[in-house]
Amino acid sequence: MGNGVKNQHISRQFDDELENVLGKVLAMGGLVEQQLNNALKSLIDGDTELATVVIETEIQVNTYEVTIDQECTKILARRQPAASDLRLVTAISKTITDLERVGDEAEKIAKMGLELTEKQGPKSYYVGINAMGNLVSRMLHDVLDAFARMDSIRAVEVASKEPESDDQYSAILRQLITYMMEDARNISGTLDAVWVARALERIGDHSRNICENIIYLVEGKDVRHISIERMEEIVSNSNR
Amino acid sequence: MQQNNPNTAKIIKAYAEEKVVTEPGTTTKTHAIDMSNIVKSDVDAKLADEKVCIEITDFNLFYSGKQALKDINMTIPDKRVTAFIGPSGCGKSTLLRCFNRMNDLVDGVTIEGNIKLEGNDIFDKNVNVADLRRRVGMVFQKPNPFPKSIYENVAYGLRIQGIRDRRTIDTVVERSLKGAALWDEVKDRLDDLAMGLSGGQQQRLVIARAIAIEPEVILLDEPASALDPISTLKIEELIYELKDKFTIVIVTHNMQQAARVSDYTAYMYMGEMVEFNDTSTLFTNPNKKMTEDYITGRYG
């Protein structure tokens, strides 16, 4: 023992339980990622059918959240996990909350897409939103990848992009305010676009939260509420 | 619920990649969750701030030439619960028995290094072993009450010390039984034979007997492993109450028990002290991979 090759538990059943729940988290992540991409696509293309699909997917995401939560509780009660097993279960439990909220935000974007399509707003609303959507979608994709690989370095990279999404959000707001000032008739439609940008900004925040969960899982260090620089320092200083 | 996103499939594939790890001569397939990236932290124990009760320095112990403890260096903090965990034969009981020189009674035991209790070497030739054992009490896995009444079991240590005053003894017996959370259950039958008590009650009686002579340290060697879960919880609750007055060192096979009752935990393996850390850290984020493997059930 101690030579780093024995990753199995003596209890194979415990391995199966952890694998099973981790698999569900990744499936849930994939579903939410798809939901976000579809929501953005439906918004840009004015595809109301796709927007409806996004809204309907929400039920599946919620079911995943509830199921995974139950399984985490079951593992805690029956296995009393310790050390990395314990951190895995708590990280999963927190991550699915963030994922579920990303799903909610994607649903909001899809709903706004439906309204914006009805209102026939100018396509130029979406220029900034499209770019920000791509950034945030990339972040979500990468953070799920980092989770699957339990890669804290990758998680820090993703977290370091979050300020960029904040900057883009501010830029979009300025742009949209200009539209509103140009013509008061634009206000209603522009406000919807503001909500979309806001939802994307929140998704960026949730992705960062998941990064923090990954770092806690891998490094055993709580990196919430600290600067990106400090986070990088902690991860690069780990005695890997 | 199916996922038809290519990204999802990719991620799941990445996570599910079976890693084939080869050891010399063997091929071991590890399971799908690759935790090899999980690293250890270097969280400092709060141990440095504690008052020292027992200090163990460069301690080695041999049973007829066979080394059972290797270079043990640690300090047992005062008025705290310290747990020793580790697989059978790792030396945790052997180390515990050094603290009141119980190993003196075993033939062929040789030691190197020293152990200090409150700053004084317990192996010094001037040390009175009987006095040391009065200061360092011990409770074993199997309750071992004397074939006497409940009262006499607790009073025994005092009588040996030559105390005859009935009123003094009454007071100590009552205080000790209360201290061991047994008083309410036995106060009306103090003259009954101790053997008539249940296992859990007997174990608490033995603890009452140990605390009657007001030791500084109480050593508990698997004190609850022969008890049912409720009796076990009562013993654990008792440990929690006793640590205000005594330094407690407990050896346990039950890791959850160590996690529940102790302030500090030492993980031993093959006679070595692998990790000594505060219990919360050891059970959430141990420093050593070996500790991690043991407490997560990957040992073996």
Side-chain angles (χ1 to χ4, degrees), chain A residues 28-46:
Chain A
M28 178 182 178
L31 194 63
V32 168
E33 191 188 343
Q34 180 190 14
Q35 215 185 356
L36 172 62
N37 291 338
N38 285 346
L40 287 167
K41 192 162 187 299
S42 74
L43 177 74
I44 309 294
D45 299 350

Side-chain angles (χ1 to χ4, degrees), chain A residues 82-119:
Chain A
S84 59
D85 294 335
L86 177 62
R87 301 204 303 273
L88 177 66
V89 174
T90 53
I92 285 175
S93 174
K94 287 181 174 186
T95 297
I96 57 169
T97 308
D98 282 311
L99 285 177
E100 194 271 336
R101 292 196 183 148
V102 171
D104 286 347
E105 300 296 342
E107 190 191 358
K108 270 185 214 163
I109 294 171
K111 281 181 176 161
M112 291 304 156
L114 287 179
E115 290 198 15
L116 283 171
T117 309
E118 277 170 24
K119 286 172 188 158

Side-chain angles (χ1 to χ4, degrees), chain A residues 1-10 12 15 18-19 22-23 26-27 30-31 33-34 60 63-64 80 82-88 141 144-145 148-151 217-221 238-240, chain B residues 1-5 7-8 10-12 14-15 21 23 28-42 256 267 269 282-286 289-290 292-300:
Chain A
M1 69 170 281
N3 51 8
V5 295
K6 291 195 174 67
N7 278 318
Q8 284 162 296
H9 289 91
I10 295 165
R12 289 294 312 193
D15 280 339
L18 287 176
E19 265 175 56
L22 189 57
L26 296 170
L31 194 63
E33 191 188 343
Q34 180 190 14
Q60 283 179 52
T63 311
Y64 264 123
Q80 290 106 43
S84 59
D85 294 335
L86 177 62
R87 301 204 303 273
L88 177 66
H141 173 82
L144 290 170
D145 200 49
R149 295 170 201 275
M150 296 191 187
D151 184 343
L217 160 62
V218 177
E219 313 281 345
K221 300 244 172 72
S238 76
N239 33 357
R240 187 178 294 272
Chain B
M1 275 181 284
Q2 59 167 27
Q3 3 76 22
N4 41 13
N5 184 340
N7 288 330
T8 317
K10 207 172 80 196
I11 291 165
I12 291 187
Y15 115 89
V21 184
E23 282 176 283
T28 317
K29 263 197 169 181
T30 62
H31 73 108
I33 302 181
D34 179 4
M35 287 200 162
S36 60
N37 273 354
I38 293 191
V39 290
K40 305 293 142 269
S41 85
D42 43 7
Q256 273 73 41
Y267 169 58
Y269 182 68
L282 192 124
F283 281 96
T284 56
N285 192 14
K289 175 89 172 78
M290 281 171 83
E292 169 101 24
D293 286 347
Y294 184 69
I295 64 172
T296 57
R298 289 183 172 86
Y299 166 80

